[in-house]
């Protein structure tokens, strides 16, 4: 009745040698850009805090050509908090949070 289906024979391409690097599409190796070795952390904020963060990001973005995000703002806040000291950070926490 009907013919039996068969797969065609798989033919592997020849291995390239070191002399044939010019046939590559790119001349550089691609490497995943990994800025941290950790998974992202969730930061819980109220809607008012999110709006405040976004407004501050827009104000900072107007001063530079660099792409500023809320994450960048929070990381910069860590450095500011370190330079201010734990006493000032605790005072800001008590007054605002």
């Amino acid at each position: 009745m009907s013919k039996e289906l068969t797969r065609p024979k798989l033919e592997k391409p020849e291995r390239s040698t070191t002399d044939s690097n010019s046939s590559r599409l790119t001349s550089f190796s691609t490497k995943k850009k990994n800025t941290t070795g950790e998974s992202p952390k969730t930061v819980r904020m109220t809607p008012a805090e999110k709006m405040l963060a976004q407004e501050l990001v827009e104000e900072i973005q107007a001063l530079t050509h660099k792409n500023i995000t809320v994450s960048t703002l929070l990381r910069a806040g860590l450095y500011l908090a370190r330079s201010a000291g734990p006493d000032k950070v605790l005072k800001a926490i008590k007054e605002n949070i």
Side-chain angles (χ1 to χ4, degrees), residues 33-45:
K33 187 175 182 181
N34 192 2
T35 57
T36 64
E38 305 213 1
S39 60
K41 305 292 185 252
T42 302
V43 178
R44 295 185 184 118
M45 293 191 287

Side-chain angles (χ1 to χ4, degrees), residues 1-92:
M1 297 206 185
S2 64
K3 284 185 171 179
E4 185 178 327
L5 296 175
T6 58
R7 291 182 183 244
K9 187 176 179 181
L10 182 67
E11 294 181 20
K12 293 183 180 179
E14 291 182 23
R15 263 190 124 154
S16 62
T17 61
T18 57
D19 296 336
S20 65
N21 282 341
S22 61
S23 65
R24 285 180 151 179
L25 294 176
T26 59
S27 61
F28 60 91
S29 62
T30 57
K31 185 178 178 184
K32 182 181 175 189
K33 187 175 182 181
N34 192 2
T35 57
T36 64
E38 305 213 1
S39 60
K41 305 292 185 252
T42 302
V43 178
R44 295 185 184 118
M45 293 191 287
T46 64
E49 291 169 339
K50 288 180 185 178
M51 293 263 307
L52 178 66
Q54 190 58 43
E55 288 172 2
L56 195 52
V57 163
E58 289 171 4
E59 289 176 19
I60 296 168
Q61 184 70 51
L63 300 173
T64 183
H65 295 293
K66 184 176 172 146
N67 188 23
I68 305 296
T69 62
V70 173
S71 176
T72 307
L73 176 69
L74 292 175
R75 290 194 313 250
L78 290 173
Y79 292 105
L80 289 172
R82 175 183 275 172
S83 66
D87 295 333
K88 288 186 179 181
V89 173
L90 182 59
K91 182 180 176 186

